[in-house]
Amino acid sequence: LWQEDEGLFMDYNFITKQSSAYKYCSAYYPLWAGLTTIEQAAHLQANLPLFERPGGLSMSTTPSGLQWDEPYGWAPCNWIVAEGLRTYGYLDDARRIAAAFVSTVDENFLSDGTLREKYNVVTKDAEVHVTAGYKENGIGFGWTNAIYLKMQELLNPNSP
């Protein structure tokens, strides 16, 4: 699934025997799982700007209107990337991603007193305008709550 020319792991269509050209945040899952080489990790780190937005990591680079695309960021994916980067020694990048996502959660909590399922990481708010798929933005979502705490640990200067 590794695409050297892209520096990303990409989906593969086993029927057409072709790799997808779709850039998606799941490219970092092998990093989190500890399955990448040092060279692949360096390429993934260099490709962070593809997904980084003011409020965290966008799920993809494609604004399709679907909930799993640009401009939406989900806590689990932000954590998987941050933790994978930390594991491979990219602590500054991991903390930058954590800080961006935590600030989005904080700002929205101060605004409406809730933690949400997903956030618009481009505008740093909880406003979602999904045109297809699950259109709600759940309140008090467990994975956001847990990952917010894990990111706070990562942001602690005494954290390894």
Side-chain angles (χ1 to χ4, degrees):
L1 301 175
W2 177 250
Q3 300 302 306
E4 185 68 36
D5 57 327
E6 296 286 346
L8 295 169
F9 288 92
M10 309 284 275
D11 288 339
Y12 182 77
N13 184 326
F14 67 91
I15 295 170
T16 64
K17 298 183 180 5
Q18 293 180 326
S19 292
S20 171
Y22 204 81
K23 292 175 176 62
Y24 204 74
C25 199
S26 61
Y28 292 82
Y29 283 33
L31 185 75
W32 170 78
L35 300 174
T36 65
T37 66
I38 298 301
E39 294 78 18
Q40 289 168 334
H43 285 291
L44 289 165
Q45 185 271 342
N47 274 318
L48 285 171
L50 292 171
F51 303 98
E52 279 192 86
R53 305 296 179 263
L57 298 174
S58 182
M59 291 303 301
S60 79
T61 59
T62 305
S64 69
L66 298 173
Q67 69 170 354
W68 290 103
D69 271 329
E70 175 97 76
Y72 303 116
W74 295 67
C77 296
N78 274 263
W79 175 250
I80 284 169
V81 175
E83 179 62 11
L85 290 165
R86 185 199 64 77
T87 300
Y88 277 80
Y90 297 104
L91 185 57
D92 290 342
D93 294 305
R95 285 184 170 153
R96 184 180 66 251
I97 290 164
F101 193 77
V102 162
S103 74
T104 299
V105 174
D106 284 345
E107 290 171 23
N108 284 275
F109 183 80
L110 290 173
S111 172
D112 70 6
T114 67
L115 276 78
R116 298 294 181 136
E117 176 184 34
K118 57 187 166 278
Y119 292 91
N120 180 325
V121 293
V122 172
T123 58
K124 293 187 71 172
D125 62 41
E127 293 295 321
V128 297
H129 304 285
V130 175
T131 58
Y134 182 67
K135 297 178 182 177
E136 301 298 318
N137 193 6
I139 295 173
F141 230 71
W143 63 32
T144 302
N145 303 352
I147 287 167
Y148 177 86
L149 294 175
K150 292 300 289 179
M151 286 185 167
Q152 290 288 7
E153 287 177 12
L154 179 59
L155 292 170
N156 181 337
N158 298 320
S159 176

